[in-house]
Amino acid sequence: MSKLTARALSGLVTVWFFGNFVLGWFQYSNGRAQTQHSDTSSDSQDQSCLCHLTGVLDDCFCDVESIDVFNNFKLYPQIKKLTERDYFRYYRVNLKRPCPFWPDDGHCSIKDCHVEPCPESKVPDGIKSGNYNKYSQPAGTMSDVLQCEQAKELGAINSTLSNQSKEAFADWARHDDAQDHFCELDDETSPDAEYVDLLLNPERYTGYQGPSAWRVWNSIYEENCFKPRSVYRPLNPLAPSRGDDDGEGFYDWLEGLCLEKRVFYRLISGLHSSINIHLCAEYLLDEGWGRTVWGPNIQEFRQRFDTAETKGEGTRRLKNLYFLYLIELRALYKVAPYFERTIVNLYTGNAQEDGETKELLLHIFNQIKAFPMHFDEKSMFAGNKIEAKTLKEEFRLHFKNISRIMDCVGCSKCRLWGKLQTQGLGTALKILFSEKEIQNLPERSPSKGFQLTRQEIVALINGFARLSTSINQLHNFRLMLKEKR
């Protein structure tokens, strides 16, 4: 009897242990499945702003994936090197021009917005000794560079010159006879125009936001993009509340426009998106005693481009960036013959560096020529000649007005990069609509029909470099979002 009781007790204990084991295993497996489901949802949320960024772009026959591969692995490394050359490093700009449209809001007092002049000794001798058909500047000594970097603070801009230097630079102030500018050009001979070292003043987050910044962008979109006031842009903070309006009314209106006016809006939206990506990628993450940490801010990126955060606007904004990239890429393709002429010398005063700079530029042009899916600008301003001419002039004046609005930006560093990128796009448009003049360029003498100033060249290359950087930074954000899994 005792043996039977012992056996029964032993069996009950065994069943109890086995039951607990099975129950524990089931609970673990169920919990793990729930965790995996939660992780998958989180991954989906992290990727939601980029998962729809794929396929063929509107109004052209190129796809996002082809641009990513071409830009990130071929063009971006080369264009980055080019903008580090002395010729493309210095940009002459007037940051003191008053806003022509409304009373000055007062400049941003944040130190990251601040612009400080760089001593005259830091500006390369080739710039100060201007010469006809010679457009740029040589490097200073290593001690000069170290002194300049030690002197700069966040956002410091280096730009003062003596009267003698200003007179020398006046030799470069040559404008083409076509008078086909798409931008309001700064007067390079103005006492307020200064040279800026772009490498020491990178475009990044400055804290400039709120009503002043919204007012600038609102003026650009609402008054210069061929839009009636009765049509409201999605997510416009200055527009009256539209309830649950998801922007479909706006896009129905946009699709009803002619190609030229639709392109105009997409160019502005693409430029806006590119600027926002730069601010997210170069964000002030930490600041302490004598040190600052800049880097990508994923949360800021998602706030500006995530599908849920932007009610689907994020993907449209990013696709407009790719569209703008194609437009400026096409302009570089079209202007290559201008630079391939032996008469064009990217002058800095350093013959060896000048030759290397032009060689690198021509190498980039050859890569661009090999890209198989360029935008076809011939579809624009076609049809009735009188109507096309009127539309082109309207297009040009609207964009020129936007370049004037850049003088209303309250942050000096934001104004600098806004003016540069706007002039870069304006130069690209000037190139696209000057095809006949470029085809008839003389090989060994200055052109009467088409000419680019040094400032237009610097803005064109740096403006495109900003777009190339944006697409590369998108790739980096994509990788970081995947790593969060």
Side-chain angles (χ1 to χ4, degrees):
M1 184 71 179
S2 62
K3 289 183 179 180
L4 182 61
T5 303
R7 287 178 181 176
L9 183 62
S10 175
L12 288 171
V13 171
T14 301
V15 170
W16 181 81
F17 274 113
F18 181 76
N20 275 276
F21 171 77
V22 172
L23 180 61
W25 178 86
F26 177 78
Q27 290 175 336
Y28 168 76
S29 299
N30 188 49
R32 188 180 179 205
Q34 290 177 344
T35 302
Q36 288 178 336
H37 177 75
S38 176
D39 287 346
T40 302
S41 298
S42 176
D43 290 346
S44 177
Q45 184 180 9
D46 284 342
Q47 292 294 308
S48 62
C49 53
L50 294 173
C51 64
H52 299 294
L53 187 61
T54 183
V56 178
L57 300 171
D58 296 333
D59 295 322
C60 58
F61 298 97
C62 186
D63 60 274
V64 167
E65 290 77 9
S66 297
I67 297 175
D68 280 337
V69 172
F70 174 72
N71 180 76
N72 296 336
F73 298 101
K74 288 187 177 181
L75 208 55
Y76 170 71
Q78 300 301 315
I79 202 75
K80 185 174 183 295
K81 286 182 182 178
L82 186 65
T83 56
E84 293 170 354
R85 309 294 295 188
D86 285 339
Y87 182 85
F88 294 102
R89 175 175 177 170
Y90 296 90
Y91 178 63
R92 188 165 175 82
V93 61
N94 183 356
L95 299 176
K96 299 177 183 178
R97 288 176 62 170
C99 174
F101 300 108
W102 56 76
D104 196 347
D105 291 331
H107 286 276
C108 174
S109 60
I110 302 173
K111 66 178 180 179
D112 300 319
C113 297
H114 188 50
V115 174
E116 287 193 6
C118 193
E120 179 192 343
S121 60
K122 307 306 178 290
V123 180
D125 294 336
I127 294 182
K128 293 183 286 188
S129 63
N131 197 330
Y132 183 79
N133 195 42
K134 298 180 179 180
Y135 294 97
S136 208
Q137 58 260 30
T141 64
M142 182 58 67
S143 61
D144 285 343
V145 174
L146 291 176
Q147 287 176 3
C148 198
E149 292 186 353
Q150 290 170 356
K152 82 178 179 75
E153 295 183 21
L154 298 179
I157 286 185
N158 317 319
S159 41
T160 52
L161 293 171
S162 67
N163 290 333
Q164 181 180 1
S165 299
K166 292 169 184 174
E167 291 173 2
F169 281 127
D171 291 338
W172 293 348
R174 295 173 291 116
H175 297 281
D176 60 278
D177 296 331
Q179 294 298 311
D180 203 18
H181 295 297
F182 280 74
C183 283
E184 182 78 17
L185 301 179
D186 283 345
D187 180 5
E188 296 182 23
T189 63
S190 168
D192 292 328
E194 301 175 315
Y195 273 93
V196 174
D197 186 337
L198 298 175
L199 296 185
L200 297 182
N201 300 278
E203 183 182 20
R204 56 192 180 192
Y205 180 81
T206 64
Y208 177 61
Q209 55 189 335
S212 178
W214 293 340
R215 189 178 190 180
V216 170
W217 283 112
N218 196 64
S219 178
I220 290 173
Y221 283 115
E222 298 298 317
E223 300 171 16
N224 296 278
C225 285
F226 303 97
K227 188 183 72 63
R229 291 190 178 276
S230 59
V231 176
Y232 295 98
R233 288 184 298 113
L235 306 180
N236 179 5
L238 300 184
S241 175
R242 303 294 294 173
D244 296 328
D245 183 10
D246 58 1
E248 289 306 314
F250 172 80
Y251 287 104
D252 287 344
W253 163 81
L254 186 64
E255 291 305 313
L257 291 178
C258 64
L259 172 64
E260 292 80 4
K261 293 182 179 181
R262 193 164 64 244
V263 164
F264 191 96
Y265 171 81
R266 299 188 67 194
L267 295 180
I268 301 306
S269 175
L271 179 60
H272 195 181
S273 299
S274 180
I275 291 172
N276 279 333
I277 291 173
H278 302 151
L279 306 187
C280 297
E282 293 292 335
Y283 200 89
L284 182 57
L285 301 177
D286 190 23
E287 187 173 20
W289 293 94
R291 73 178 186 91
T292 52
V293 179
W294 301 90
N297 186 324
I298 295 179
Q299 185 58 38
E300 186 73 20
F301 176 80
R302 289 177 58 180
Q303 181 179 334
R304 295 173 187 262
F305 297 105
D306 183 82
T307 302
E309 294 278 353
T310 64
K311 299 182 179 180
E313 274 295 290
T315 301
R316 287 189 174 108
R317 293 171 178 176
L318 294 176
K319 283 193 172 183
N320 287 339
L321 161 66
Y322 280 81
F323 182 77
L324 172 59
Y325 179 93
L326 284 178
I327 292 291
E328 294 203 17
L329 185 74
R330 180 62 170 173
L332 292 175
Y333 173 92
K334 302 292 283 188
V335 83
Y338 178 87
F339 291 96
E340 290 169 348
R341 299 176 302 158
T342 56
I343 191 176
V344 176
N345 176 29
L346 306 180
Y347 179 75
T348 70
N350 183 328
Q352 180 177 347
E353 176 159 327
D354 294 350
E356 293 172 354
T357 300
K358 184 170 182 179
E359 182 180 356
L360 178 57
L361 179 62
L362 296 183
H363 173 69
I364 290 173
F365 283 142
N366 287 333
Q367 288 187 318
I368 291 173
K369 290 177 182 178
F371 184 70
M373 290 177 280
H374 280 282
F375 176 80
D376 183 9
E377 74 285 355
K378 291 181 180 178
S379 58
M380 295 179 63
F381 305 110
N384 183 282
K385 291 185 177 180
I386 297 178
E387 291 180 359
K389 184 177 181 180
T390 301
L391 183 59
K392 179 180 177 182
E393 180 64 10
E394 191 177 4
F395 191 100
R396 185 183 70 85
L397 291 177
H398 274 246
F399 192 85
K400 192 171 185 178
N401 208 47
I402 289 175
S403 72
R404 298 177 68 202
I405 295 175
M406 290 298 114
D407 285 319
C408 300
V409 176
C411 164
S412 295
K413 182 178 284 187
C414 306
R415 181 182 292 202
L416 162 67
W417 285 102
K419 287 169 76 78
L420 181 143
Q421 290 172 86
T422 303
Q423 185 177 17
L425 176 53
T427 304
L429 294 173
K430 169 182 171 179
I431 291 167
L432 289 178
F433 303 129
S434 301
E435 182 175 15
K436 292 182 180 179
E437 291 83 357
I438 295 175
Q439 289 177 345
N440 296 324
L441 287 171
E443 172 62 30
R444 299 184 179 276
S445 61
S447 168
K448 295 291 185 181
F450 179 84
Q451 189 71 35
L452 292 176
T453 67
R454 178 186 175 277
Q455 297 312 103
E456 288 176 313
I457 296 171
V458 173
L460 174 69
I461 296 300
N462 276 281
F464 178 76
R466 293 280 77 206
L467 301 178
S468 178
T469 300
S470 290
I471 289 178
N472 184 259
Q473 288 169 337
L474 270 182
H475 174 70
N476 294 336
F477 274 115
R478 185 179 285 111
L479 295 178
M480 286 185 286
L481 289 169
K482 286 182 179 179
E483 288 175 0
K484 287 190 66 178
R485 285 189 261 182

